[in-house]
Amino acid sequence: MYAQMVKSENADDSAEAQAFQARIDAGEKIEPKEWMPAGYRKTLIRQIGQHAHSEIVGQLPEGNWITRAPTLERKAILLAKVQDEAGHGLYLYCAAETLGVTRDELTEMLLDGRMKYSSIFNYPTLTWADMGAVGWLVDGAAIMNQVPLQRTSYGPYSRAMIRICKEESFHQRQGYDIMMKMAKGTEQQKQMAQNALNRFWFPSLMMFGPSDKDSVHSAQSMAWKIKMNTNDELRQKFVDQTVPQAEYLGLTVPDKTLSWNEEKGGYDFAEPDWDEFFQVIKGNGPCNSERLAARNKAWDEGRWVREGLMAHAAKKSTAQRMAAE
C-alpha cells in the first residue's frame, strides 16, 4: 500500500491534488492510507519529527534537576513531568511512522543534522527557578503552538495532540507554581525567579519560529492546515497572555519597549534577536553540542537493547509461522 501511495504522490495529477485540497478546505481529516501530495507528506514528517525530537531532547535540561529538587514533592512532580515528555515523544514518533518513516530513521536524521529540535532546549538551566521558567514560559509557548494542532488536517497528528495538550497544561501550571513560590519567597529567591525570566523570555518568543516574512514553510502549511496560525499570531497571543501573569508574580518582563496598544488590543513588544536564533538553529547555541552528545550516547548505548528486541521479534515470528504450518 505504501509503495502504491508513493507512486501516486509522484504522479502529475492535478485533479487528485485539487480533490485533496477540497477535502482540506472542507475540514476533513486525512488518514494514513489515503492519497496525499508528496509535499504534504514531507512537510508532516519534518514537523512531526522535529516535534518528537523536541519532546525527547526537552527532557535533558529538566532531568538535570531531578536529583537536586528542593523537596521530595518537587522531585516527584518533576520526575512525572519528564516521564510525560518521553511519552509525548513516543506518541509523535508513532504518528510519524504512519507516514512511512521509521523511528530509527527519524533518530538518525536528528543525529546527523538533517532534522532539528526546538531552539529553546539549547539554553542551560542554571538554577531551580529555571524549572519554573521552563514550565511557565517554555511549556506555555508549547501549548500556544500545540492547542491549534488538535485541529490539524492529518488525523494521527491531530489525535496525538489531544492528550499531549492536556498533559502540557499541567506542566505549565507546575512551572508557574514554582515561580509563584520563588517570587513570594525571600528577596534572593525572587531575584532567582527574575533572573530565570530574564534569560528565558526571548528564547521562548523564538519558539514560535521566525517572523512570518522570513518563514519558509508557513504559507503552504497553512493552506494544507498542517499549521492553523502564523508564527507572529501565536507569538502575539503568547505575549498578551504571559505579561499579566508576570505582573501578578511581581516580576518584570525584560523588554523596555513593552507597552499596551489599545488600538490592536494587545502588547507591542521587542522582537527576539533573530541572528541569535539562526545561530542556535545552525548548532552554535550554548548547549547544542551537549544535547546532541547526550542523544548520540543514548543511541549508541541502547543499540544492544534494540538489537535484542528485533532478534526476539524475529524469533517469535518464525515460531508462529512454523506453528501455523
Side-chain angles (χ1 to χ4, degrees):
M1 171 59 73
Y2 175 66
Q4 294 171 351
M5 186 172 70
V6 170
K7 181 179 179 181
S8 181
E9 285 177 343
N10 292 334
D12 182 15
D13 191 337
S14 60
E16 278 186 321
Q18 290 174 8
F20 178 84
Q21 188 62 52
R23 292 187 61 199
I24 297 290
D25 295 341
E28 294 183 29
K29 297 293 184 194
I30 306 302
E31 299 300 336
K33 292 185 178 181
E34 296 174 336
W35 185 88
M36 62 188 73
Y40 179 83
R41 175 180 171 274
K42 181 179 179 180
T43 300
L44 278 169
I45 290 174
R46 176 185 58 81
Q47 181 168 321
I48 299 173
Q50 292 182 0
H51 190 168
H53 297 327
S54 298
E55 298 284 356
I56 298 301
V57 175
Q59 298 174 97
L60 297 175
E62 293 177 315
N64 185 45
W65 280 93
I66 290 175
T67 59
R68 293 186 285 164
T71 67
L72 181 59
E73 180 183 30
R74 289 294 184 189
K75 189 188 301 288
I77 292 170
L78 185 57
L79 180 60
K81 182 179 188 290
V82 172
Q83 289 175 321
D84 282 349
E85 306 296 5
H88 298 173
L90 295 179
Y91 303 152
L92 292 164
Y93 284 134
C94 287
E97 284 177 325
T98 66
L99 292 158
V101 61
T102 69
R103 196 169 310 190
D104 284 0
E105 288 171 334
L106 290 170
T107 301
E108 288 164 0
M109 283 190 274
L110 169 68
L111 299 181
D112 67 19
R114 285 176 290 158
M115 268 194 173
K116 306 294 183 182
Y117 53 88
S118 179
S119 60
I120 192 69
F121 300 121
N122 289 308
Y123 291 86
T125 48
L126 304 177
T127 72
W128 173 249
D130 288 9
M131 292 299 94
V134 167
W136 172 35
L137 299 175
V138 176
D139 290 322
I143 291 169
M144 199 66 69
N145 265 319
Q146 294 170 12
V147 165
L149 293 177
Q150 295 175 100
R151 308 192 309 276
T152 193
S153 61
Y154 189 58
Y157 195 20
S158 171
R159 292 187 287 271
M161 292 314 305
I162 294 172
R163 178 168 179 174
I164 289 174
C165 286
K166 288 179 179 178
E167 293 177 347
E168 290 288 3
S169 68
F170 283 102
H171 299 171
Q172 184 188 31
R173 292 176 195 177
Q174 69 86 30
Y176 194 70
D177 183 62
I178 291 173
M179 295 298 279
M180 188 178 298
K181 293 292 192 300
M182 300 288 286
K184 305 303 180 184
T186 66
E187 189 58 36
Q188 183 181 14
Q189 288 171 324
K190 183 175 182 179
Q191 190 57 51
M192 286 175 64
Q194 182 64 60
N195 287 341
L197 172 57
N198 292 347
R199 285 183 286 105
F200 277 92
W201 175 254
F202 284 109
S204 294
L205 296 187
M206 296 176 189
M207 287 180 65
F208 299 97
S211 178
D212 291 342
K213 67 180 187 301
D214 299 319
S215 180
V216 177
H217 303 287
S218 284
Q220 184 60 72
S221 292
M222 293 279 288
W224 279 330
K225 294 187 180 179
I226 293 174
K227 284 180 63 173
M228 308 302 291
N229 302 90
T230 70
N231 297 348
D232 289 340
E233 287 174 350
L234 292 172
R235 194 169 7 255
Q236 180 70 57
K237 189 175 179 181
F238 174 76
V239 172
D240 292 344
Q241 173 182 288
T242 308
V243 170
Q245 294 172 352
E247 292 174 347
Y248 180 80
L249 292 173
L251 302 178
T252 303
V253 172
D255 180 357
K256 294 181 180 179
T257 71
L258 186 70
S259 62
W260 179 257
N261 185 323
E262 192 65 41
E263 184 177 349
K264 75 176 183 180
Y267 287 93
D268 291 330
F269 57 94
E271 290 282 311
D273 182 343
W274 291 118
D275 289 337
E276 176 184 326
F277 170 77
F278 287 113
Q279 281 300 311
V280 173
I281 291 297
K282 290 177 182 177
N284 301 318
C287 297
N288 285 72
S289 58
E290 179 183 334
R291 302 296 185 233
L292 278 179
R295 292 305 303 134
N296 273 285
K297 183 173 183 288
W299 181 249
D300 292 340
E301 292 182 355
R303 187 179 306 279
W304 70 273
V305 178
R306 297 192 302 275
E307 291 175 350
L309 289 171
M310 292 301 293
H312 175 72
K315 183 178 180 180
K316 185 176 180 181
S317 177
T318 299
Q320 290 175 338
R321 186 175 65 254
M322 293 178 66
E325 293 173 353

